[in-house]
Amino acid sequence: MAQISLTFPDGNARDYDAGVTPAEVAASISKSLSKKAISATVDGEHWDMAWPIHNNASIALHTMQDEEQALELIRHDFAHVMARAVQAIWPDTKVTIGPVTEHGWFYDFDRQEPFTPEDLGVIEKKMKEIINARDEVRTEIWDRDVARKFYEDAGEGYKVELVDRIPEGADIRMYWHGDWQDLCRGPHLQHTGQLPGDSFKLMGVSGAHWFGDTSRPMLQRITGIGFRNRKELQAHLNFLEEAAKRDHRKLGREMDLFHMQPEAPGQVFWHPNGWTIYTLLQDYMRRRQHAGGYVEVNTPQVVDRKLWEASGHWEKYQDNMFIVEVDEEHAREKAVNALKPMNCPCHVEIFKQGLKSYRDLPLRMAEFGSCARYEPSGALHGIMRVRGFAQDDAHIFSTEEQIEAECAEFIRFLSAIYKDLGFADYKVKFSDRPETRAGEDEVWDKAETALLHATRAAGVEPELNPGEGAFYGPKLEFVLTDAIGRDWQCGTFQVDFVLPERLDATYVGADGDKHRPVMLHRACLGSFERFIGILIEEHSGRLPFWIAPRQVVVASITSEADDYVHEVVAELKAAGIRAEADIRNEKINYKVREHSVGKVPVILAVGHREVEERTVTVRRLGQKQTSVTSLTEIVSELSKASTPPDLL
């Protein structure tokens, strides 16, 4: 029999018969490894323990200690075991797909009767029975026609479609978990008993269309989470509980910040409190940008398709654009326009007005541009994922020689802003050319090289995020980590040689000839809507004092103090503090609870003693203790606290 050589992570190599499986390799090393091994990586691909290896290869064997590989297998097997449990309880249910997700899995089912929350407990119980049975997991590769007929005979039409979707030449792999079968690329564990039966939980039921096709019937999606042990599961459940407390939608209601309604899907109705946050943040960014050498512009929201065709957006981005048809007076056909999904082409049009010289560069052009992008309804999420939003958008028109300096300056600029807003640390990802893009490969080579070199010159080594660049150029993504460990991609910096070429932007160089500027797209916060959502969740609604919409409530303990309450409010307002009076005929404890739920940072209680002594009793959000201080002292203290960080 032919021999192959397998090379292990330590560099040692061993010879085996061709067709050896990772299970046999593990057994050849030690009995303990044979029992512990759950999968292998063979030449960079995750490999089932039962799959044969026919050629020389590198190999690494994995156990439950290898988190990435273990979680992939555990969650994939949980998905199969769940589907098996569902069909065991309700045999008429049709199965579709069940992929792994970030923390677990989902499986979509076609069942006439809707699942109920109570059904989840029944399914969990059946899953544990299957796990405890320790059924063998087997895999076979079938001929396409045989697999197709198998599913046709079983009445599993969705699986027939999946077989047809598998590319020619690719393996059609069939898996059995005991006597239950599924079409799957694998890999999987060796038996159901390898699953940690106390380390999963079914989370809910929702609707989902087959492959997102809204013309197809609605399926029922059951989601679950799974981990290597109960401790990890409990830690994630605690994380979810904390995230639920911080949910910006819940806090938005409690703080009376905004609402959304079906008549305007994905668009925000800002209430006075929420709009206060919005304008304070916008004013802060405006001051920062003016200090950073930016000029501010404003461009139209509805633009003729001709500009979008010229820029490339009509071809590459039309699915995300809202199209507007206008029957112009005396026109023979309707004029086709689009709500702008981004500001870039309009900024080029401003740049093109009048002759530009190399002495005008870099030209930093900023706009708080209102944009509209189509997002599927299922993707909308509060103010985090919307259809209508405004960006702190800017474009820097520069020479190629200025790219490095502008990139370094932007990283300094962004770092200072994030620090002011409470985010000292962030990650940087480098996203290179996507599959769908504009421009020649040579242009992309130049843009990617320039951006990567500039980033490293600024002292930043980015993580590679392959294929995630914009269609017109590579980009840096600046990723914040919040208080409970979640990552949020906010800032971007993109190098674009394509758009100035397509829209014929030029400047006169020192040699007197015309040259193309480089267009550097940049944003710090991204959309204001999303960033405000992040701020709310980061601080659990307890926003920094300077940006809190309701900074102080002065509450009366007795009606005899009403006049003094108004006097205190007047002094606070005169000092630039957002203050309001609460002289309702309610007990002070009731008022304190209500305003605490509304996340008011400071409550000043006023009664007989405070009136006589011209003091206030101070209660700060989240603190049980109170303190008594003079009116003059508290006004001075809160005036300093209300000053935006860039003005300190």
Side-chain angles (χ1 to χ4, degrees):
M1 182 176 286
Q3 294 282 294
I4 61 171
S5 176
L6 298 181
T7 303
F8 293 87
D10 62 3
N12 290 325
R14 290 192 183 192
D15 292 335
Y16 293 91
D17 291 337
V20 67
T21 65
E24 292 167 338
V25 172
S28 74
I29 296 173
S30 71
K31 287 184 179 180
S32 63
L33 182 59
S34 178
K35 292 178 180 179
K36 292 178 182 178
I38 57 171
S39 67
T41 294
V42 177
D43 279 348
E45 294 186 21
H46 201 190
W47 209 265
D48 194 297
M49 294 297 285
W51 295 352
I53 307 169
H54 295 289
N55 301 301
N56 296 341
S58 63
I59 185 171
L61 295 166
H62 303 299
T63 70
M64 286 293 182
Q65 298 304 310
D66 297 307
E67 183 176 16
E68 179 183 349
Q69 292 81 10
L71 288 176
E72 180 186 343
L73 262 67
I74 286 170
R75 289 163 180 168
H76 206 166
D77 278 58
F78 273 135
H80 279 215
V81 168
M82 184 180 78
R84 176 181 169 183
V86 167
Q87 287 197 310
I89 302 167
W90 299 284
D92 292 337
T93 303
K94 305 300 180 188
V95 292
T96 63
I97 54 174
V100 170
T101 60
E102 184 179 3
H103 299 294
W105 72 92
F106 69 78
Y107 212 113
D108 290 345
F109 300 97
D110 187 352
R111 179 175 176 241
Q112 199 165 20
E113 294 295 322
F115 292 110
T116 68
E118 292 73 25
D119 290 335
L120 299 184
V122 177
I123 298 169
E124 284 184 351
K125 182 179 178 182
K126 189 65 177 178
M127 288 175 68
K128 290 178 180 179
E129 290 177 11
I130 295 169
I131 292 168
N132 291 335
R134 300 176 64 84
D135 287 332
E136 180 187 6
V137 177
R138 299 181 293 111
T139 179
E140 294 178 0
I141 296 175
W142 281 18
D143 178 81
R144 182 182 299 271
D145 292 338
V146 174
R148 205 174 191 286
K149 186 175 186 307
F150 175 83
Y151 286 123
E152 285 175 346
D153 292 346
E156 293 284 6
Y158 296 100
K159 294 297 183 184
V160 174
E161 285 191 47
L162 288 175
V163 170
D164 291 341
R165 285 173 177 263
I166 297 174
E168 289 293 333
D171 289 342
I172 296 177
R173 191 172 291 280
M174 312 292 268
Y175 268 93
W176 276 263
H177 294 251
D179 59 1
W180 184 85
Q181 184 278 336
D182 202 0
L183 172 72
C184 186
R185 60 176 174 78
H188 281 281
L189 296 167
Q190 293 175 278
H191 60 82
T192 62
Q194 287 183 301
L195 281 170
D198 62 349
S199 304
F200 76 94
K201 183 175 177 59
L202 302 187
M203 301 300 291
V205 181
S206 60
H209 290 285
W210 177 237
F211 281 103
D213 184 352
T214 54
S215 68
R216 301 291 296 270
M218 182 72 76
L219 303 172
Q220 296 186 66
R221 174 171 296 177
I222 300 179
T223 57
I225 55 174
F227 295 87
R228 294 179 296 173
N229 52 60
R230 186 167 183 79
K231 182 179 178 182
E232 290 180 359
L233 171 66
Q234 191 57 52
H236 186 71
L237 291 173
N238 292 341
F239 167 85
L240 293 178
E241 184 180 352
E242 181 62 29
K245 293 177 184 176
R246 295 169 178 263
D247 191 314
H248 73 280
R249 294 166 298 181
K250 169 180 173 289
L251 292 168
R253 289 190 300 272
E254 293 174 353
M255 298 170 69
D256 192 22
L257 303 180
F258 61 85
H259 83 273
M260 308 181 87
Q261 61 189 61
E263 291 80 2
Q267 298 175 85
V268 187
F269 290 79
W270 288 104
H271 299 188
N273 291 338
W275 194 243
T276 296
I277 299 172
Y278 199 108
T279 54
L280 286 166
L281 193 59
Q282 192 176 81
D283 290 345
Y284 165 81
M285 285 304 303
R286 178 171 281 119
R287 291 191 301 271
R288 277 289 192 184
Q289 289 179 165
H290 285 175
Y294 289 83
V295 293
E296 188 174 334
V297 300
N298 189 265
T299 58
Q301 287 186 266
V302 180
V303 180
D304 192 287
R305 67 176 287 178
K306 293 175 184 177
L307 181 60
W308 303 116
E309 287 173 344
S311 70
H313 289 82
W314 196 259
E315 178 188 358
K316 307 292 184 183
Y317 205 76
Q318 187 181 153
D319 289 347
N320 296 96
M321 297 169 72
F322 285 98
I323 310 302
V324 181
E325 292 188 350
V326 181
D327 192 0
E328 298 280 6
E329 188 177 1
H330 306 306
R332 293 184 178 180
E333 60 182 23
K334 290 184 178 180
V336 180
N337 304 280
L339 295 176
K340 65 175 178 182
M342 51 194 68
N343 305 299
C344 332
C346 294
H347 286 192
V348 178
E349 294 305 302
I350 292 179
F351 179 86
K352 287 164 57 179
Q353 299 301 302
L355 198 63
K356 297 295 186 298
S357 161
Y358 70 96
R359 295 186 180 89
D360 298 317
L361 306 183
L363 174 58
R364 303 181 184 121
M365 188 183 298
E367 178 178 6
F368 299 124
S370 294
C371 299
R373 296 179 188 173
Y374 174 74
E375 297 280 0
S377 58
L380 300 176
H381 179 70
I383 63 174
M384 297 286 208
R385 191 79 175 265
V386 292
R387 291 177 176 173
F389 59 94
Q391 295 175 296
D392 67 318
D393 197 16
H395 297 91
I396 303 168
F397 296 89
S398 75
T399 66
E400 286 188 43
E401 295 74 24
Q402 292 169 333
I403 293 175
E404 184 175 315
E406 287 302 304
C407 180
E409 176 58 33
F410 175 68
I411 291 174
R412 286 192 291 270
F413 181 77
L414 174 138
S415 298
I417 288 169
Y418 283 179
K419 185 176 180 182
D420 278 353
L421 297 175
F423 298 97
D425 298 317
Y426 57 84
K427 294 182 287 190
V428 181
K429 295 183 179 181
F430 176 79
S431 300
D432 59 12
R433 67 194 73 183
E435 187 174 338
T436 302
R437 59 184 181 270
E440 301 298 323
D441 284 345
E442 305 84 65
V443 175
W444 276 87
D445 291 340
K446 182 166 65 171
E448 288 172 351
T449 300
L451 181 56
L452 195 56
H453 179 75
T455 307
R456 287 171 173 158
V460 175
E461 185 59 43
E463 299 176 17
L464 183 61
N465 193 23
E468 293 300 319
F471 76 83
Y472 47 77
K475 64 180 177 179
L476 299 179
E477 297 179 355
F478 296 85
V479 182
L480 301 174
T481 301
D482 71 11
I484 57 175
R486 296 171 300 183
D487 286 344
W488 302 100
Q489 189 264 306
C490 295
T492 60
F493 186 86
Q494 304 163 19
V495 174
D496 181 4
F497 289 90
V498 174
L499 205 56
E501 178 73 30
R502 292 185 70 113
L503 297 182
D504 194 28
T506 62
Y507 69 92
V508 178
D511 57 3
D513 292 334
K514 287 187 176 181
H515 300 270
R516 297 283 183 215
V518 181
M519 192 172 182
L520 306 177
H521 306 244
R522 55 111 290 200
C524 296
L525 309 184
S527 84
F528 280 95
E529 286 74 7
R530 186 166 182 266
F531 196 84
I532 289 171
I534 293 169
L535 273 179
I536 292 168
E537 296 199 0
E538 161 73 7
H539 296 284
S540 296
R542 299 174 180 178
L543 295 169
F545 191 77
W546 72 274
I547 205 169
R550 302 170 64 212
Q551 291 177 316
V552 181
V553 169
V554 185
S556 60
I557 299 173
T558 174
S559 60
E560 284 81 0
D562 288 356
D563 290 342
Y564 184 54
V565 166
H566 289 301
E567 183 182 342
V568 173
V569 168
E571 288 208 28
L572 290 167
K573 286 183 174 181
I577 300 161
R578 291 180 291 282
E580 58 192 72
D582 185 349
I583 57 172
R584 293 174 298 166
N585 186 23
E586 300 284 357
K587 292 183 178 179
I588 189 62
N589 287 341
Y590 175 87
K591 295 178 182 180
V592 168
R593 281 196 302 272
E594 183 179 275
H595 298 308
S596 295
V597 169
K599 302 297 185 290
V600 176
V602 176
I603 300 171
L604 304 181
V606 173
H608 287 298
R609 185 184 66 176
E610 287 80 9
V611 172
E612 292 174 359
E613 299 175 355
R614 294 193 61 77
T615 59
V616 291
T617 297
V618 183
R619 182 184 291 272
R620 300 182 187 276
L621 186 61
Q623 296 180 6
K624 293 182 179 179
Q625 298 82 9
T626 61
S627 61
V628 178
T629 186
S630 71
L631 176 56
T632 302
E633 185 178 342
I634 196 65
V635 169
S636 174
E637 178 188 338
L638 295 181
S639 177
K640 292 176 183 176
S642 68
T643 304
D646 63 305
L647 298 179
L648 290 173

